[in-house]
Amino acid sequence: SYDPIWYIFHSMVSYHQAMWTDCNDYDLIKPTELDDHPEAYSEFCDSDGCGDMSLDGKMYFGGYLTDHKWAFVNKQDLTVRKSFHFDRWNIIYDLEDGEGFYQNSGLSDYCKGKLNPDWWIISDDEQYQSSNQDEQLKDKILSNLDSSHSTTTTMLITNIVKDNQLIVSVVFVAIIIGLLLFYKYKNNKDMNGRINAKSYSFGYGSV
């Protein structure tokens, strides 16, 4: 189990299981109703010592996995019923644009229109495209609303200025005059301060 190939192999096995389950619409069966659908799951064992393979049979885990607190099986049993639906384990396969094994194997034709969006991501799937188009439409609407709001604000300011040109002109001239008077007053005050300071700087015996 320390060989990286082991993880890749079992990931592909899970991929096949998920594809078979989903393409036969067994993903639509509720976990509590699996007992009524033997076509979705039936016990099978071709050797002795398989243990309890029923829907609620406890899966066996050797080694020290059950001793680690972070492990799911440390606090509760893992069963077929709990592991049947992939979305319950946050597992999702990315098929990209659907080319490669998915298309070459014929699964793209067999599973057309059946892929569960909670199990798979595929860019050429109609349901995926519809969802993606909805998101794009939403972004476009929000963008238009922001643009419309900005345009409306600009037009409002323009109309106010246009309809009150005389008032705006008077206010503008008043501000300019006020600034000029302020700077003139400030300069005169600074000049008087320097003159007074120079007058008081003369000491006894100065010429």
Side-chain angles (χ1 to χ4, degrees):
S1 62
Y2 296 100
D3 190 338
I5 300 298
W6 186 88
Y7 295 98
I8 297 175
F9 169 75
H10 280 278
S11 178
M12 192 63 179
V13 171
S14 296
Y15 169 87
H16 288 159
Q17 178 189 346
M19 190 65 70
W20 176 83
T21 302
D22 192 16
C23 294
N24 287 286
D25 288 335
Y26 297 150
D27 60 305
L28 304 179
I29 304 173
K30 296 180 180 179
T32 55
E33 298 176 355
L34 284 170
D35 303 88
D36 301 327
H37 296 274
E39 70 278 9
Y41 179 78
S42 297
E43 297 180 48
F44 175 78
C45 181
D46 59 357
S47 62
D48 297 332
C50 292
D52 188 357
M53 298 182 64
S54 63
L55 284 168
D56 298 309
K58 177 182 176 180
M59 293 185 182
Y60 170 75
F61 290 90
Y64 302 100
L65 183 62
T66 55
D67 297 332
H68 295 287
K69 294 182 179 180
W70 50 262
F72 177 86
V73 292
N74 175 261
K75 298 179 177 61
Q76 54 184 307
D77 297 335
L78 181 61
T79 65
V80 173
R81 193 187 304 275
K82 292 178 181 178
S83 60
F84 189 84
H85 294 83
F86 279 69
D87 55 323
R88 299 178 71 183
W89 296 88
N90 295 323
I91 297 175
I92 186 167
Y93 285 93
D94 187 357
L95 301 177
E96 296 183 340
D97 58 359
E99 295 184 356
F101 175 80
Y102 177 69
Q103 188 177 57
N104 298 335
S105 63
L107 287 172
S108 57
D109 295 327
Y110 182 75
C111 303
K112 187 174 183 180
K114 296 182 179 180
L115 292 185
N116 189 328
D118 294 329
W119 290 30
W120 313 94
I121 296 176
I122 181 169
S123 57
D124 71 342
D125 183 71
E126 293 180 359
Q127 188 172 5
Y128 175 84
Q129 288 181 348
S130 177
S131 176
N132 193 36
Q133 289 173 356
D134 290 343
E135 290 297 327
Q136 292 177 352
L137 180 60
K138 186 190 299 183
D139 293 339
K140 185 175 181 181
I141 292 174
L142 292 175
S143 177
N144 289 339
L145 286 176
D146 292 339
S147 177
S148 176
H149 176 72
S150 177
T151 303
T152 302
T153 303
T154 304
M155 290 178 63
L156 180 61
I157 295 174
T158 302
N159 290 333
I160 292 175
V161 173
K162 184 177 180 180
D163 295 338
N164 301 276
Q165 288 183 354
L166 180 60
I167 297 176
V168 172
S169 300
V170 171
V171 171
F172 179 75
V173 171
I175 293 174
I176 297 298
I177 294 174
L179 289 173
L180 292 174
L181 291 175
F182 172 76
Y183 282 113
K184 183 177 181 180
Y185 169 77
K186 187 173 183 299
N187 290 334
N188 290 337
K189 186 176 181 181
D190 292 341
M191 180 64 70
N192 293 333
R194 286 195 296 271
I195 293 173
N196 292 333
K198 186 174 182 180
S199 299
Y200 287 111
S201 64
F202 295 140
Y204 177 78
S206 60
V207 177

